[in-house]
């Protein structure tokens, strides 16, 4: 959807194909109206910089790859940067999730679902 929106395409007409396993996957095709746009999209810095899943990657890397990697492959292709980001972060991902869960559970404790089910 984000790709179609970025390109100004009807999302029902953009068909993408992936291969791989779960988080280790790559986009192998991006077909719009019968034409595979992937070869030009992966080399279009204007496009890749506007789609968050691709913006994190070095444009030179995307140019050398035959396919577009999913965002989780950042930890593979840019492992030194990823490690530095984790090391230098004020809070770990696990800590962030724990804090979000604590805040959510606190809000839920004060809700009256019977009186306000929409909340």
């Amino acid at each position: 959807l984000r790709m179609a929106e970025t390109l100004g395409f009807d999302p029902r007409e953009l068909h993408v194909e992936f291969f791989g396993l779960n988080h280790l996957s790559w986009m192998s095709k991006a077909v719009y109206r019968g034409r595979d746009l992937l070869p030009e999209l992966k080399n279009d810095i204007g496009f890749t910089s506007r789609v968050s899943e691709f913006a994190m990657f070095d444009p030179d890397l995307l140019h050398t790859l035959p396919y577009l990697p999913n965002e989780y492959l950042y930890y593979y292709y840019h492992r030194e940067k990823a490690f530095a980001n984790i090391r230098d972060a004020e809070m770990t991902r696990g800590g962030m999730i724990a804090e979000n869960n604590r805040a959510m559970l606190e809000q839920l404790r004060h809700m009256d679902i019977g009186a306000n089910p929409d909340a």
Side-chain angles (χ1 to χ4, degrees):
L1 181 63
R2 281 182 293 279
M3 284 180 56
E5 289 173 348
T6 299
L7 294 166
F9 293 170
D10 180 342
R12 295 170 296 188
E13 294 186 62
L14 181 63
H15 305 279
V16 295
E17 290 183 15
F18 292 88
F19 71 93
L21 180 63
N22 297 328
H23 296 327
L24 299 174
S25 61
W26 293 260
M27 182 184 302
S28 58
K29 287 185 181 181
V31 179
Y32 183 72
R33 296 185 176 170
R35 186 169 155 247
D36 185 7
L37 303 176
L38 187 69
E40 62 193 70
L41 291 178
K42 73 179 197 70
N43 294 311
D44 181 346
I45 295 172
F47 168 74
T48 57
S49 67
R50 290 190 326 263
V51 178
S52 61
E53 291 87 348
F54 310 129
M56 63 186 70
F57 291 98
D58 179 339
D60 291 334
L61 170 69
L62 296 179
H63 180 72
T64 63
L65 295 174
Y67 309 110
L68 280 173
N70 80 22
E71 62 206 78
Y72 294 103
L73 288 167
Y74 177 83
Y75 298 98
Y76 173 75
Y77 288 116
H78 296 301
R79 60 191 165 277
E80 292 85 9
K81 288 182 192 177
F83 178 73
N85 291 341
I86 292 167
R87 184 191 62 226
D88 298 340
E90 291 181 24
M91 184 181 289
T92 65
R93 174 86 170 130
M96 192 181 322
I97 290 170
E99 179 57 28
N100 287 344
N101 284 344
R102 187 206 57 73
M104 177 188 63
L105 290 171
E106 183 63 25
Q107 283 183 328
L108 289 172
R109 273 189 208 94
H110 299 290
M111 290 179 140
D112 184 348
I113 295 173
N116 188 358
D118 290 341

